[in-house]
């Protein structure tokens, strides 16, 4: 056996579903790293809760991807047996937890998008995706509320919390562009009403940001330069380390059932 | 003496004592110590299992483990709340934990070295905890008894989940089977120690028994655990690391060998494999989170003033 | 393939050699984690240098172990294809780097032993081990000098450096017992003059500690309680994380040549 | 004008300028900037490769990579020393790097994503660096020229090592071959940019050429690199991510396509994939190490006083 990695088919819907599953899994994994180490017990619970929701979303999406691919792969094959360059998550979700402000701002930037995205997806022409969206909407609403409230609290808390929140916002904002970029492979899916058009989601995202950052007293970064690459499998250096830890058991015991 | 008599009469009649009822100071102190120790155990207990969340070998197991550790945090939260009904602030209790002044279950001072340890903790550690805790559902202090009902329900779910992990490993590859056996070998004796010193040496028991905080002796509970667990292990084809273990037809109990109480006392005084790591991890989380808690307080204060203005 | 791990023979000399190789590899790996992140450029170089020496020692020892085992295994099989419980290094060397004081004190406690050990081993009845020892003596002399100088500098530097050095010493001292413990499987090797008797090494170690700690103004921990387990494969929680990262590539691509 | 004339005459005669010799301020400033930038590049360059030390796939590769990164630190050290001969303190230069005020080679703002990147960096990045640096071994400033002789010797060893890594991958499994190709795809264009803007747009070149700090133009060096490298890649059966690449029989050079100078400028102004991570890593190391440097200073001072007393 020369590799324990799987190869996956080249299909547009499959790729689009896999990419969203990867977003949810990687962000869920990052949040799960906090477990037992959060600033207060209530946040240990809240972050674990959000992580659980996201891993749950990832599992539904992988399951659907497996149906589309029809190659006998399971959710665990996708999660544990792909190399970093085979992951299609956006770079934002793989960024390290950093301090609590980085985790919250990352979550806020993502959830403000994801909530609007899943809302739009409830009317997807693809019934399976619409069903996953319907389940995800109340979850993402909670994730957004939690992250937005903390963003305000940190932004308008102490001098230190304000500084940390602004640092996090400045550092993470360049990773938001990928949420709105449309890979060439997805244009047909958008035209076909299967995927929500990011352009229709941006107004809700921008409105949320303007309102929450104003209330938090945080300055919206003016930089228009954006990082990208995740959707093409070109990640940051962080993803490889995350996956090494996540995948070590299935990689060490190929074929074992756990 | 009249109040004390009436108090004991209510307890004898299996009536619950509630937060606003009069109670002897020793009763209050005993309960605070016990509930706090229990809450601390839940919190520290998040660490050994949390150590495997990022390495769980399937998404289903990852989600289940994350949910389990979250449950433990939840138990900690409502146990602290139960303790607070006795007039002690959560901050005070947390400070006692962080400074090393308060105890927590010694079992969490052992490391989780393989995935099988997650199975073994569910099966054995939660199994032992349930033995200890089921009688507490009828504890004389109302808030504690009610908290324990919820805790026990969730713990028994965790226990079944742990046993299921062990089952899959025991029926898995040679390496997985060895992993399961190794976990049982390492966790068995520490789990027997979870029930505390042998009856002759146990402190606090007399008053706790009279107050219906404690309804069974350490040795009684330990024997119940052994009797329930040994057949489960044998069913999986695993062996217990105790050459003296045998079924006693006369008593219908599993007889077990001598427990190494020196190890128990060593871990209790801080010399277990992970005591320092566990306390260090809790302290680090607390220190790293200080600015967040300060920010939340400052924000709440600002909003309060704004609302008042 | 149900596992990418190897099984190794049960042989006393082989086990003893493997254990020393594991000590060197794991400590070398830990030191290599500093590369690019040390407090000053000179220490980036020094720590990398010591790491290189240790990895070099590990390779010689693994090579000799492979000869003894005669099962076709290579140095890389031992390093990359054993599970954590198959490693036999002492717990001291797998402890996390912590701050620079922890790294230095760990190195000092180990090197003060290792230098005396390799000196004694130059007259081993086993010619191969004696040759490895001869090569290791000047290296361990340098490691010891470097760590001892820094121990003194930190202990007698600022209040903060003194506190950090003392904290590190208190935290790591309980891991020194394993260096002097004799596993049952090694008694014959000691009697046969193949392995140095730790009892003959302790005086040199203790003398070094007394002298260096006195000069550093650090208090020798009085605790007599010692951690153990590494030589039996019962490690701390840290080793699994270290190996997950170290082994991810060979575990993901079994059989590939790099 | 006499001093200046004499200075230029010495340079024209290929004599070395030494630290205590008189030199024009602009010459000194140019050299400080260039040597510092070079030193910073070595230091920052430790990070992308250091990223793979803990995951190197064999012990031989692990040792070689560690030694290589150590060499880079060493280059940094003696380049800082060469800069110090021009009257600027290393601390000043380091501060400029940490504050983001000083430049370093943009190539290190790209991430190392697979093991093949370690091969590609050795083969391509070190290969390009050598093209730039070999002429500097004859630079008019003595300490810089001598430092470069040592640097070049080690770099060319690294370059061969990198090419050897690529060779093994290119002849390895399908996955390894894909890894090698992907690394070449990602590193090729950034490596061409390492030679700087096209000749027409390059600053500083005139004076640098007159002072024999710079002996070849950016485009000349770039062409040399392409000509040397393309056959090496083809020999491995790899393809270059440039559809315009073709051998021009007339000129005997490899013709390459248009370079995306927008990307070059973006990375230069801080908008590369890793600019922030690299500077953050350097700053973190510096801040975390502050107490160590203070301790070393305090200790040295104590000993000095003791010796004086």
């Amino acid at each position: 056996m020369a590799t324990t990695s799987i190869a996956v088919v080249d299909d547009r819907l499959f790729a689009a579903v896999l990419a969203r599953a990867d977003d949810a899994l990687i962000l869920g994994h990052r949040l799960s790293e906090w477990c037992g180490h959060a600033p207060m017990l209530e946040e240990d619970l809240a972050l674990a809760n959000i992580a659980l929701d996201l891993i749950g979303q990832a599992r539904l999406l992988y399951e659907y991807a497996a149906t589309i691919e029809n190659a006998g792969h399971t959710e665990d094959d996708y999660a544990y047996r792909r190399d970093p360059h085979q992951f299609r998550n956006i770079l934002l979700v793989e960024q390290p937890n950093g301090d609590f402000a980085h985790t919250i701002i990352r979550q806020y930037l993502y959830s403000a998008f994801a909530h609007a995205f899943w809302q739009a997806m409830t009317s997807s022409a693809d019934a399976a995706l619409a069903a996953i969206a319907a389940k995800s909407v109340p979850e993402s609403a909670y994730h957004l509320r939690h992250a937005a409230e903390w963003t305000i609290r940190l932004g308008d808390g102490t001098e230190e919390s304000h500084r940390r929140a602004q640092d996090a916002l400045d550092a993470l904002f360049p990773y938001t562009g990928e949420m709105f970029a449309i890979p060439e492979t997805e244009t047909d899916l958008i035209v076909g009403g299967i995927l929500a058009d990011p352009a229709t989601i941006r107004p809700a995202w921008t409105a949320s940001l303007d309102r929450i950052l104003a209330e938090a007293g945080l300055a919206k970064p003016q930089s228009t330069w954006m990082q990208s690459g995740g959707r093409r499998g070109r990640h940051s250096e962080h993803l490889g380390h995350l996956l090494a830890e996540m995948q070590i058991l299935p990689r060490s015991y190929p074929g074992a059932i756990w | 003496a009249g109040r004390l008599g009436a108090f004991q009469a209510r307890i004898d009649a299996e009536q619950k004592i509630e937060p606003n009822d009069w109670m002897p100071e020793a009763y209050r102190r005993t309960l605070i110590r016990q509930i706090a120790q229990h809450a601390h155990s839940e919190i520290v207990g998040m660490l050994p299992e949390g150590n495997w969340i990022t390495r769980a070998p399937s998404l289903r197991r990852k989600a289940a483990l994350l949910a389990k550790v979250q449950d433990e945090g939840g138990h900690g939260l409502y146990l602290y709340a139960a303790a607070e009904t006795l007039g002690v602030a959560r901050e005070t209790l947390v400070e006692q934990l962080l400074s090393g002044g308060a105890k927590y279950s010694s079992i969490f001072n052992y490391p989780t070295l393989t995935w099988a340890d997650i199975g073994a903790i569910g099966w054995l550690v939660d199994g032992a905890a349930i033995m200890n805790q089921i009688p507490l559902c009828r504890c004389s202090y109302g808030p504690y008894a009610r908290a324990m009902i919820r805790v026990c329900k969730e713990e028994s779910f965790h226990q079944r989940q742990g046993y299921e992990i062990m089952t899959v490993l025991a029926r898995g590859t040679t390496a997985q089977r060895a992993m399961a056996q190794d976990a049982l070998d390492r966790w068995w004796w520490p789990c027997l120690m979870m029930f505390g010193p042998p009856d002759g040496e146990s402190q606090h028991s007399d008053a706790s028994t009279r107050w219906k905080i404690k309804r069974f002796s350490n040795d009684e509970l330990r024997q119940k655990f052994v009797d329930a667990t040994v057949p489960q292990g044998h069913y999986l084809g695993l062996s217990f690391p105790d050459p003296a273990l045998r079924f006693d037809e006369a008593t219908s109990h599993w007889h077990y060998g001598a427990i190494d109480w020196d190890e128990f006392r060593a871990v209790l005084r801080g010399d277990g494999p992970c005591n320092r790591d566990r306390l260090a991890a809790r302290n680090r989380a607390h220190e790293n989170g200080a600015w967040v808690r300060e920010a939340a307080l400052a924000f709440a204060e600002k909003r309060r003033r704004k609302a008042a203005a």
Side-chain angles (χ1 to χ4, degrees), chain A, chain B:
Chain A
M1 184 187 289
T3 173
T4 56
S5 304
I6 58 169
V8 299
V9 301
D10 186 13
D11 172 277
R12 291 178 173 205
L13 179 58
F14 170 74
V17 173
L18 205 61
R20 273 66 189 185
D22 290 346
D23 285 348
L25 176 64
I26 300 301
L27 185 55
H29 184 96
R30 277 284 185 233
L31 291 176
S32 81
E33 292 172 355
W34 274 103
C35 201
H37 308 281
M40 57 189 78
L41 194 44
E42 286 78 359
E43 287 310 303
D44 269 318
L45 301 186
L47 296 176
N49 211 11
I50 299 169
L52 269 171
D53 285 346
L54 289 168
I55 291 170
Q57 290 173 12
R59 294 180 66 190
L60 290 174
L61 289 161
Y62 284 136
E63 196 185 5
Y64 182 43
T67 312
I68 303 167
E69 193 192 23
N70 196 23
H73 289 143
T74 67
E75 57 177 23
D76 289 332
D77 289 331
Y78 298 130
Y80 293 98
R81 297 180 60 194
R82 283 183 300 149
D83 292 339
H85 75 271
Q86 295 178 293
F87 276 75
R88 288 294 179 271
N89 58 278
I90 56 175
L91 302 175
L92 176 66
V93 299
E94 75 197 35
Q95 296 309 302
N97 284 336
D99 64 8
F100 188 69
H102 275 74
T103 293
I104 287 297
I105 296 291
R106 183 186 63 197
Q107 193 63 40
Y108 171 64
L109 294 172
Y110 176 81
S111 298
F113 175 87
H115 184 51
F117 176 77
W118 289 122
Q119 279 182 318
M121 288 294 287
T122 56
S123 45
S124 167
D126 182 304
L129 284 178
I132 294 173
K135 188 183 167 295
S136 301
V137 165
E139 293 173 353
S140 60
Y142 160 63
H143 305 171
L144 176 55
R145 196 168 61 245
H146 173 267
E149 283 172 4
W150 268 111
T151 298
I152 296 169
R153 219 172 270 136
L154 297 181
D156 193 21
T158 62
E159 239 174 81
E160 179 176 6
S161 71
H162 178 86
R163 176 180 57 72
R164 287 177 183 263
Q166 187 67 56
D167 283 354
L169 186 60
D170 293 343
L172 294 166
F173 197 75
Y175 294 98
T176 59
E178 263 190 316
M179 302 192 291
F180 300 100
I182 302 178
E184 205 198 324
T185 53
E186 295 192 351
T187 41
D188 288 354
L189 298 171
I190 291 171
V191 172
I194 288 170
L195 272 191
D197 185 348
T200 66
I201 288 162
R202 194 188 274 279
W205 186 79
T206 306
S208 171
L209 246 70
D210 288 343
R211 189 164 51 78
I212 300 300
L213 296 188
E215 202 173 337
L218 294 170
K220 190 168 169 180
Q222 290 311 307
S223 153
T224 53
W225 167 76
M226 290 289 163
Q227 296 268 15
S228 72
R231 289 282 190 249
R232 288 176 291 127
R234 292 201 175 177
H235 292 277
S236 63
E237 289 174 354
H238 308 295
L239 184 65
H241 294 277
L242 182 155
L243 293 181
E245 180 164 17
M246 185 173 108
Q247 299 181 336
I248 189 64
L249 273 188
R251 294 293 195 172
S252 298
Y253 299 95
I257 309 294
W258 302 91
Chain B
R3 288 195 302 193
L4 191 59
F7 172 81
Q8 188 63 47
R10 287 183 60 192
I11 286 183
D12 292 343
E14 297 285 345
Q15 288 174 17
K16 293 285 180 254
I17 308 299
E18 295 298 336
N20 293 327
D21 295 344
W22 180 87
M23 61 187 82
E25 261 316 295
Y27 177 85
R28 184 187 302 274
R29 275 202 312 274
T30 298
L31 273 171
I32 289 178
R33 192 186 54 241
Q34 180 168 335
I35 298 174
Q37 186 169 333
H38 190 163
H40 297 331
S41 299
E42 298 282 357
I43 302 309
V44 177
M46 297 171 80
L47 297 172
E49 291 182 281
N51 183 40
W52 281 90
I53 290 174
T54 54
R55 288 176 295 171
S58 77
L59 293 184
R60 183 170 78 92
R61 295 293 183 200
K62 193 188 206 68
L65 180 56
L66 190 50
K68 185 189 171 186
V69 178
Q70 190 192 24
D71 282 349
E72 283 158 10
H75 297 172
L77 210 52
Y78 39 84
L79 284 164
Y80 281 132
E84 285 189 314
T85 65
L86 291 159
V88 59
R90 177 170 141 194
E91 287 67 30
T92 311
L93 299 177
V94 169
E95 279 308 325
Q96 288 168 359
L97 171 65
L98 296 176
S99 67
K103 287 203 170 27
Y104 57 86
S105 177
S106 274
I107 195 73
F108 300 120
N109 290 318
Y110 291 88
T112 51
L113 300 182
T114 72
W115 172 251
D117 290 17
I118 300 306
I121 287 181
W123 172 36
L124 302 173
V125 175
D126 291 345
I130 293 168
M131 287 292 169
N132 270 328
Q133 290 166 8
I134 282 182
L136 290 171
C137 297
R138 296 187 290 131
C139 160
S140 62
Y141 186 61
Y144 191 26
R146 289 188 290 273
M148 290 320 297
I149 288 170
R150 184 165 159 196
V151 168
C152 279
K153 207 174 123 193
E154 293 182 0
E155 294 283 20
S156 86
F157 176 70
H158 298 161
Q159 199 266 349
R160 282 197 303 279
Q161 215 170 45
Y163 189 67
E164 199 255 326
I165 290 176
M166 293 301 275
T167 307
V168 170
L169 295 177
R171 293 178 184 160
T173 65
T174 313
Q176 288 177 308
R177 192 174 188 78
M179 215 181 255
Q181 181 63 55
D182 171 60
L184 175 54
D185 290 346
R186 283 182 287 108
W187 290 95
W188 177 246
W189 288 110
C191 281
L192 293 194
M193 297 178 197
M194 282 177 69
F195 297 91
D199 290 349
E201 300 173 22
S202 178
Q203 303 167 336
H204 320 300
S205 283
D206 290 351
S208 288
T209 304
R210 193 170 69 242
W211 288 330
K212 296 195 173 162
I213 297 173
K214 194 171 177 63
R215 289 175 183 265
F216 298 96
S217 78
N218 292 352
D219 285 336
E220 282 168 345
L221 290 168
R222 184 160 23 234
Q223 186 66 55
K224 262 172 112 96
F225 172 74
V226 172
D227 290 344
T229 307
V230 169
Q232 293 172 345
H234 288 163
Y235 180 74
L236 298 181
L238 299 175
S239 63
F240 289 80
D242 176 0
L245 191 72
R246 61 174 172 77
F247 189 70
D248 185 334
E249 299 283 351
T251 61
S252 284
H253 286 305
W254 281 89
H255 170 83
Y256 53 91
I259 293 173
D260 179 0
W261 292 111
D262 285 346
E263 174 178 329
F264 177 75
R265 280 183 291 267
V267 178
L268 208 62
R269 76 167 174 260
D271 291 347
C274 300
N275 298 57
R276 288 166 194 233
D277 278 358
R278 300 295 182 235
L279 267 194
R282 288 311 312 158
N283 274 290
R284 207 161 43 234
H286 193 76
E287 284 159 25
N288 290 344
W291 69 270
V292 179
R293 296 189 302 276
E294 282 159 23
L297 278 177
F299 176 79
E301 177 63 14
K302 278 188 198 174
R303 293 290 148 129
R304 198 189 55 72
R305 275 195 218 149
K306 209 178 273 179

